[in-house]
Amino acid sequence: MANNFFENAGNPRARKLKSFVQPVDVNYAATYKGVAMKTLYFVLVMCAGIAAFFYIDAFYTARNGAQAALDMESIIFFVLLLVTLVASLVAAFVPKSVPVTGSIYAGGMGFCLSLVSMLYAKQYKGIIVEALVLTVLTIGVLTFLYMKGVRVGGRLKMACITAIMVSLMGGLIYAIVAIAAPNSAIIQSINTINNGPIGIVFAFIGVLIAAVLLMCDFDTVTETVENGLPEEYEWYASYSLIVGVIYLYLKILRLLAKLQGNRR
């Protein structure tokens, strides 16, 4: 039954698990409670990363000043960004590694999100609280819609994934050009467009894409449990949720920054 399901599933994450599925006794199958507990575990690990950020920030600020603290945090940020990228790639291709790679990702992103949020907070008053509230409300609305039977079609899922890939490639090209020629006409034009109304539209589309992908993560949880996957795949389902929530928060944060920036 599980194999037939994965043959027809529109969820890319669900299809990724196909080659790893094995028959399992019902007593050792994944459950919603198991997914919830493992999601809570990842949240706690992420909180540990957040706590580490604030400890380092307070320690270095007290000893060497705010700028020295920011310099140290920036170095740690880029190192952790690379580490979490590797961990997420390993998790994508080896789902059974998620207890370890997912923990690395959650802890690293806890630190990285803290720094990003702090930098946004310095520029835009009250933006972090607004972003957190809107993220929770959005998750609540999406959960309600999902429980009412609203589902995302396979074509829309693939369109969102394609949009993300295009966005990542575009961002990489932009970063390379910005480093090589920061004052070029191309970079200045992109910055002008990005900081105007069109930038707000793209930021709003980013939030919509993040919401769709979070609905896909809900599908991953449902499919993991309802199709009797082994309980070890609860880790993958809960990890998918954490990734989706983090992505949604970042997109909402960016949209709010665009909106506040255009009011000035």
Side-chain angles (χ1 to χ4, degrees):
M1 177 179 178
N3 285 338
N4 290 335
F5 166 77
F6 283 119
E7 292 286 346
N8 301 299
N11 189 331
R13 286 199 177 106
R15 290 202 307 272
K16 176 62 66 176
L17 295 173
K18 175 184 173 182
S19 60
F20 298 94
V21 175
Q22 298 176 356
V24 61
D25 186 276
V26 67
N27 295 320
Y28 300 98
T31 64
Y32 289 112
K33 179 180 179 180
V35 173
M37 295 303 294
K38 289 174 176 62
T39 301
L40 177 60
Y41 164 79
F42 282 131
V43 170
L44 293 175
V45 173
M46 188 164 63
C47 288
I50 294 172
F53 169 82
F54 283 106
Y55 174 80
I56 292 173
D57 184 68
F59 179 80
Y60 275 92
T61 299
R63 293 193 62 178
N64 304 307
Q67 186 58 50
L70 180 59
D71 291 341
M72 177 57 67
E73 289 157 4
S74 298
I75 294 173
I76 298 174
F77 173 85
F78 285 110
V79 172
L80 288 178
L81 208 60
L82 178 61
V83 170
T84 54
L85 174 61
V86 173
S88 61
L89 289 173
V90 174
F93 290 99
V94 188
K96 290 185 178 181
S97 71
V98 166
V100 176
T101 53
S103 298
I104 294 173
Y105 177 87
M109 287 305 295
F111 186 97
C112 293
L113 285 177
S114 298
L115 178 58
V116 171
S117 298
M118 183 188 74
L119 294 176
Y120 270 109
K122 288 182 177 180
Q123 297 185 61
Y124 308 102
K125 184 178 179 181
I127 192 173
I128 304 306
V129 174
E130 293 175 358
L132 288 172
V133 171
L134 283 176
T135 299
V136 172
L137 289 176
T138 302
I139 294 172
V141 170
L142 294 176
T143 301
F144 174 79
L145 293 174
Y146 192 83
M147 293 179 66
K148 289 297 182 179
V150 176
R151 297 293 185 270
V152 178
R155 291 184 178 179
L156 180 57
K157 293 175 185 177
M158 293 309 300
C160 288
I161 293 173
T162 301
I164 290 178
M165 296 304 296
V166 171
S167 176
L168 289 174
M169 291 299 297
L172 179 60
I173 294 173
Y174 172 84
I176 294 173
V177 176
I179 293 174
N183 297 318
S184 65
I186 295 177
I187 295 299
Q188 292 179 3
S189 298
I190 292 176
N191 289 338
T192 300
I193 294 173
N194 194 43
N195 293 326
I198 296 179
I200 295 177
V201 173
F202 280 121
F204 181 73
I205 293 174
V207 172
L208 292 180
I209 291 175
V212 170
L213 293 178
L214 188 57
M215 292 283 277
C216 294
D217 296 326
F218 292 164
D219 272 343
T220 300
V221 173
T222 301
E223 292 159 358
T224 298
V225 175
E226 298 299 327
N227 289 276
L229 271 66
E231 60 184 7
E232 62 192 278
Y233 291 104
E234 294 170 349
W235 288 104
Y236 189 84
S238 59
Y239 165 74
S240 297
L241 282 177
I242 291 297
V243 173
V245 170
I246 289 174
Y247 187 68
L248 177 64
Y249 168 76
L250 287 172
K251 288 302 179 181
I252 289 177
L253 192 62
R254 183 172 182 269
L255 174 60
L256 291 175
K258 294 289 183 185
L259 291 172
Q260 287 198 30
N262 275 267
R263 294 196 197 108
R264 296 178 178 179

